[in-house]
């Protein structure tokens, strides 16, 4: 049941984690050369990871 609740929190947080993910990828882009395809992939992956972290944190707090 805990995993399901964490995933429910994560699904809601996906929308809110897009902006921080974009800012993180933009920061990485200033430090290194990133292609457009890699920019998109990094944005999606970082969005999902941030949502999972915050969703798990909300459940376990």
């Amino acid at each position: 049941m805990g995993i399901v609740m964490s995933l429910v929190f994560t699904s809601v947080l996906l929308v809110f984690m897009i902006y921080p993910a974009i800012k993180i990828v933009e920061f990485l882009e200033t430090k290194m050369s990133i292609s457009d395809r890699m920019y998109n992939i990094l944005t999606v992956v970082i969005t999902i990871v941030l949502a999972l972290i915050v969703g798990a944190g909300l459940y376990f707090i």
Side-chain angles (χ1 to χ4, degrees):
M1 186 67 175
I3 293 174
V4 173
M5 288 302 293
S6 294
L7 291 176
V8 167
F9 290 142
T10 299
S11 65
V12 173
L13 287 168
L14 282 172
V15 174
F16 297 107
M17 291 296 126
I18 293 171
Y19 183 73
I22 290 172
K23 288 299 178 182
I24 291 170
V25 174
E26 284 178 357
F27 173 75
L28 291 174
E29 192 174 34
T30 62
K31 300 296 180 187
M32 65 182 84
S33 175
I34 298 176
S35 67
D36 289 337
R37 184 171 188 266
M38 186 58 73
Y39 183 92
N40 294 335
I41 292 170
L42 278 174
T43 302
V44 170
V45 169
I46 292 175
T47 300
I48 293 170
V49 168
L50 287 175
L52 283 171
I53 291 170
V54 175
L58 284 174
Y59 177 73
F60 290 113
I61 287 180

